[in-house]
Amino acid sequence: KQEVTQIPAALSVPEGENLVLNCSFTDSAIYNLQWFRQDPGKGLTSLLLIQSSQREQTSGRLNASLDKSSGRSTLYIAASQPGDSATYLCAVTPRGAGSYQLTFGKGTKLSVIP
Amino acid sequence: GAGVSQSPRYKVAKRGQDVALRCDPISGHVSLFWYQQALGQGPEFLTYFQNEAQLDKSGLPSDRFFAERPEGSVSTLKIQRTQQEDSAVYLCASSLVEASYSNQPQHFGDGTRLSIL
């Protein structure tokens, strides 16, 4: 069964710092990997989706990388802002049947201090 | 707005009662998903619809859970004889096309927070 782990569980940084969030998964047979943001009491917002054949995706100050063979992904946030404070969730979908089923980690709660 | 809408936002029920949770997906979206998110955990997949067809219900935790999407748009998740372990946030998501082997993202609603007393 696929397991997704996110480290650290919580992170606090001063405004302006660059930071990296980590995600690991146990089964490398994935279809894609997604990073989501969740604000308190809200649903999930998709940030980046990396197909299994890709190595990275970029959107604005966000860059996500994927190393499928080692079962790792990182989300890099440049020049962090207080508005980036949220919980960041990593999720993978399996290759093959059920390729739409997202398996999530527990998330990293990020606090950016002004 | 144009996003996924869920109602009610909060639901409190006594143990043993039946509840119904509603999801209005983004207009025209073919695929619809339900997830359950326990406190401090990531969401867990419950079920998947392609239009009105429920193609995957492998994540439903028991036969007390039932979902439908009769006209291929609005969906309802029903929980019968609720128990305390059913307390969670129930999230609905939709995506534009048929979901298998698709790299279209899933768009999530804000969820319904269900508390069973």
Side-chain angles (χ1 to χ4, degrees):
Chain A
K1 179 185 174 185
Q2 179 74 269
E3 292 184 5
V4 179
T5 302
Q6 292 187 245
I7 294 173
L11 181 64
S12 184
V13 300
E15 181 177 1
E17 272 203 6
N18 303 325
L19 59 100
V20 174
L21 307 181
N22 295 293
C23 171
S24 61
F25 46 95
T26 54
D27 185 350
S28 62
I30 64 169
Y31 191 69
N32 62 45
L33 181 144
Q34 296 181 58
W35 283 93
F36 293 87
R37 168 186 174 137
Q38 187 171 33
D39 293 284
K42 298 290 188 180
L44 282 67
T45 300
S46 180
L47 298 173
L48 291 164
L49 183 152
I50 309 176
Q51 300 177 34
S52 60
S53 58
Q54 298 175 326
R55 298 284 293 186
E56 66 177 341
Q57 282 286 341
T58 298
S59 176
R61 294 182 294 109
L62 305 181
N63 175 276
S65 67
L66 173 64
D67 184 343
K68 196 173 60 169
S69 60
S70 68
R72 295 178 188 274
S73 175
T74 61
L75 179 66
Y76 175 83
I77 302 177
S80 59
Q81 302 171 358
D84 295 331
S85 298
T87 296
Y88 290 80
L89 292 149
C90 166
V92 296
T93 57
R95 199 166 60 214
S99 62
Y100 44 80
Q101 286 192 18
L102 290 162
T103 299
F104 287 86
K106 293 183 180 181
T108 294
K109 185 175 182 179
L110 174 65
S111 298
V112 180
I113 311 302
Chain B
V4 177
S5 178
Q6 293 187 246
S7 61
R9 290 280 285 121
Y10 304 92
K11 177 70 178 178
V12 180
K14 293 182 179 178
R15 186 163 50 96
Q17 289 184 330
D18 298 348
V19 298
L21 312 180
R22 177 187 169 106
C23 173
D24 284 82
I26 295 172
S27 178
H29 276 201
V30 168
S31 296
L32 185 145
F33 310 84
W34 284 97
Y35 291 84
Q36 180 190 58
Q37 186 174 23
L39 189 65
Q41 305 293 314
E44 293 192 356
F45 171 83
L46 294 178
T47 188
Y48 161 55
F49 289 86
Q50 180 183 325
N51 296 308
E52 70 279 3
Q54 188 176 21
L55 298 186
D56 187 343
K57 52 183 181 179
S58 62
L60 296 177
S62 78
D63 59 6
R64 297 185 296 104
F65 286 71
F66 172 77
E68 60 183 4
R69 193 186 185 198
E71 297 179 359
S73 55
V74 171
S75 177
T76 303
L77 176 67
K78 297 179 180 179
I79 309 174
Q80 297 176 325
R81 304 181 304 282
T82 53
Q83 301 177 4
Q84 284 194 320
E85 62 261 32
D86 299 335
S87 296
V89 175
Y90 290 85
L91 294 166
C92 176
S94 69
S95 66
L96 181 61
V97 298
E98 188 271 327
S100 291
Y101 307 110
S102 164
N103 285 301
Q104 286 287 324
Q106 296 180 24
H107 301 269
F108 283 78
D110 287 343
T112 293
R113 183 176 296 275
L114 176 64
S115 298
I116 305 300
L117 305 179

